[in-house]
Amino acid sequence: MCTTCGCGIGQTLIAGHALKQPRKPGKVMRYRVHEEGAVLAHPHTHQHGVLNGALDFGAGAAGTHAPGISQSRMVKIERDILAKNNDYAAENRDYFSTHGIFALNLVSSPGSGKTTLLVKTIAALHGALPIVVIEGDQQTDNDAARIRAAGAPALQINTGKGCHLDAYMVGQAMQQLPLQDKSLLLIENVGNLVCPASFDLGEAHKVVILSVTEGEDKPLKYPDMFRAADLMLLNKCDLLPYLEFDAGLAVDYARRINPALKVIRISASSGEGMTEWLDWVALGCRNAALRRTESPA
Amino acid sequence: MHEMSLAESVLQIIEDTARMQGYTRVKTVWLEIGQLACVEQESLRFCFDVVMCDSIAHQARLEITETAGQGRCAKCSIEMPIAALYEACPKCGSYEIHVIGGDEMRVKELEVE
Ligand SMILES: Nc1nc2c(ncn2[C@@H]2O[C@H](COP(=O)(O)OP(=O)(O)OP(=O)(O)O)[C@@H](O)[C@H]2O)c(=O)[nH]1
Ligand SMILES: [Mg+2]
Ligand SMILES: [Zn+2]
Ligand SMILES: [Zn+2]
Ligand SMILES: [Zn+2]
């Protein structure tokens, strides 16, 4: 843990083991530092860390805001801060598409029913196709244990105080899972409606789960997430008779942010609406598998 | 919040470029952060100092340029400044506004030795 502010750098664990990372003794650990020549289970399709267009402007040359002291010089970078994550995400996505894997990134606030949904989904699709789960939580192995009890292999990523999964963590987790061709990969992100929106994991779709106990205006308060998602599951609809939640208004708000958003009303507990969700998943799996067979291996 | 991992990514970009450009110390870092990028600047400044602490960018100065949010209405195509993603088009009232600027997070430039 960082001694300055107590933040969670380097606390990421996959199945209880520290994420592979080069560690300089006595220095803060950073999980995203890329090891040169790190061995990945699937082939690299591109080089990491290649900086296109990094120009050196030479000694103090392009310095409108640079005081030209000593040997200072300006270096133009022009690089997206999330570029590295996007590189890893592209690698994951590439792997999914060549292996016909349908990957979903499930995002929501804490407790909206992601794990319950996954457990029910596994129970329903068990035997129809191979399902593998990556669980992201700050602490505990509870959710992965619930998934294993439901009959699917699951790997827990504990992010420590980190509030989202990133594509590197998922790539590492993928190597430790029995990922078969033409399978379904369900990734349960850390319960958080903010930053998982910015971190592409390589998934086919982000699925945002909003439960009816959370208030209709969540989409307006967390617009980035509702914009990043392709499907919204409105969960816990079994509770609607007991609440003053206006489901229509919640959907309106969500579509304001994202007019193309598909919405399915479900209850993971009672099973209401689950058929439509399962059909959507099955269709995605079929298409991912088809696309694989069409392209040469 | 994810400002800590953003600061981590900034350091990674700095270290990657250091190898190629052969500098050993970073004195100033210029970032461009869009208004709609969902980044808390104060938090990013704090995390920046923490993360750079043991690195070649120890005590580097952080300069942040904020770019304004800009949107285009999908219905009537007018362009407008936007401060949030849920705003309606001032002309036709549609909420289908596409962000065309102000969501960027980039490392622009470094002053190095
Ligand atoms: N009434 C009702 N309760 C539900 C439903 N789905 C989930 N729950 C309950 O909501 C609580 C939280 O469910 P989880 O599945 O653990 O939620 P989660 O999103 O995985 O939570 P985190 O991983 O901690 O963010 C549990 O008590 C569930 O039983 C539903 O459809 N209806
Ligand atoms: Mg859960
Ligand atoms: Zn810290
Ligand atoms: Zn985060
Ligand atoms: Zn308009």
Side-chain angles (χ1 to χ4, degrees):
Chain A
M1 187 171 74
C2 164
T3 48
T4 311
C5 71
C7 74
I9 298 172
Q11 290 187 334
T12 304
L13 303 175
I14 294 186
H17 296 286
L19 198 51
K20 185 175 62 184
Q21 51 194 325
R23 178 164 197 183
K24 299 171 202 156
K27 294 204 171 172
V28 176
M29 252 162 103
R30 292 183 304 269
Y31 57 74
R32 242 176 308 280
V33 170
H34 183 65
E35 237 175 328
E36 285 307 332
V39 187
L40 293 179
H42 51 273
H44 277 61
T45 50
H46 59 265
Q47 281 292 118
H48 283 304
V50 174
L51 293 172
N52 301 316
L55 300 172
D56 188 349
F57 277 64
T64 45
H65 37 229
I69 327 154
S70 65
Q71 291 132 354
S72 285
R73 61 190 165 108
M74 302 301 297
V75 177
K76 263 248 181 301
I77 304 281
E78 297 290 352
R79 189 153 155 91
D80 197 309
I81 293 176
L82 293 178
K84 204 90 177 184
N85 183 72
N86 293 340
D87 287 349
Y88 287 123
E91 215 168 78
N92 295 348
R93 183 166 283 117
D94 201 56
Y95 185 88
F96 296 144
S97 88
T98 49
H99 292 263
I101 295 165
F102 187 54
L104 296 176
N105 178 1
L106 288 101
V107 293
S108 80
S109 4
S112 64
K114 299 180 292 299
T115 310
T116 309
L117 174 78
L118 292 188
V119 166
K120 295 294 174 86
T121 304
I122 291 160
L125 297 178
H126 202 62
L129 78 169
I131 307 177
V132 159
V133 175
I134 295 175
E135 279 289 340
D137 284 292
Q138 294 196 323
Q139 305 291 345
T140 85
D141 186 45
N142 294 352
D143 282 359
R146 283 165 70 190
I147 298 296
R148 281 184 216 115
L155 196 69
Q156 181 78 49
I157 301 178
N158 287 126
T159 56
K161 291 194 177 149
C163 40
H164 59 268
L165 293 178
D166 67 38
Y168 179 70
M169 299 175 194
V170 169
Q172 292 292 307
M174 280 159 59
Q175 296 174 37
Q176 298 180 33
L177 278 164
L179 259 188
Q180 296 178 40
D181 284 10
K182 304 184 184 181
S183 61
L184 171 63
L185 172 62
L186 298 166
I187 305 167
E188 178 177 335
N189 218 313
V190 180
N192 170 4
L193 276 176
V194 187
C195 27
S198 309
F199 290 82
D200 183 8
L201 306 180
E203 72 275 349
H205 305 282
K206 283 191 182 68
V207 177
V208 63
I209 296 149
L210 176 66
S211 66
V212 299
T213 51
E214 294 177 59
E216 298 92 344
D217 56 356
K218 272 282 183 317
L220 300 185
K221 289 178 175 164
Y222 302 96
D224 294 280
M225 187 59 89
F226 289 84
R227 171 157 300 190
D230 296 313
L231 171 64
M232 173 169 109
L233 297 176
L234 190 62
N235 191 30
K236 307 195 188 180
C237 281
D238 59 293
L239 297 178
L240 278 174
Y242 315 104
L243 301 167
E244 277 181 46
F245 184 90
D246 184 340
L249 186 61
V251 174
D252 279 356
Y253 283 156
R255 292 229 169 97
R256 266 189 203 181
I257 303 301
N258 181 355
L261 188 68
K262 181 178 168 61
V263 178
I264 305 177
R265 299 184 189 194
I266 62 162
S267 164
S269 318
S270 80
E272 177 194 340
M274 284 294 283
T275 319
E276 194 180 348
W277 152 250
L278 293 170
D279 287 349
W280 184 85
V281 171
L283 182 68
C285 289
R286 219 160 31 239
N287 287 339
L290 269 177
R291 256 176 259 128
R292 176 197 170 268
T293 20
E294 279 164 12
S295 61
Chain B
M1 279 311 298
H2 60 278
E3 279 74 8
M4 192 55 79
S5 53
L6 295 180
E8 290 286 316
S9 304
V10 170
L11 177 56
Q12 196 169 58
I13 289 170
I14 290 173
E15 288 180 340
D16 284 351
T17 326
R19 262 175 256 141
M20 302 171 51
Q21 302 271 342
Y23 54 80
T24 52
R25 196 162 107 72
V26 176
K27 297 165 77 176
T28 315
V29 177
W30 279 270
L31 302 183
E32 183 177 81
I33 305 286
Q35 228 175 32
L36 303 175
C38 203
V39 174
E40 201 56 64
Q41 283 202 20
E42 277 322 297
S43 164
L44 181 58
R45 284 184 184 284
F46 174 77
C47 296
F48 180 87
D49 290 343
V50 172
V51 168
M52 300 306 153
C53 195
D54 274 332
S55 76
I56 57 170
H58 179 61
Q59 291 190 330
R61 198 158 54 91
L62 175 61
E63 295 282 343
I64 300 177
T65 316
E66 192 179 67
T67 55
Q70 189 72 12
R72 183 188 295 118
C73 177
K75 292 265 149 60
C76 71
S77 314
I78 67 156
E79 292 185 7
M80 73 210 83
I82 49 173
L85 289 180
Y86 49 79
E87 285 183 2
C89 170
K91 192 174 160 207
C92 75
S94 163
Y95 287 99
E96 202 171 342
I97 310 292
H98 296 300
V99 175
I100 55 173
D103 58 350
E104 48 282 282
M105 293 192 276
R106 332 196 79 222
V107 181
K108 295 288 288 179
E109 197 164 15
L110 306 175
E111 181 193 6
V112 301
E113 296 184 340

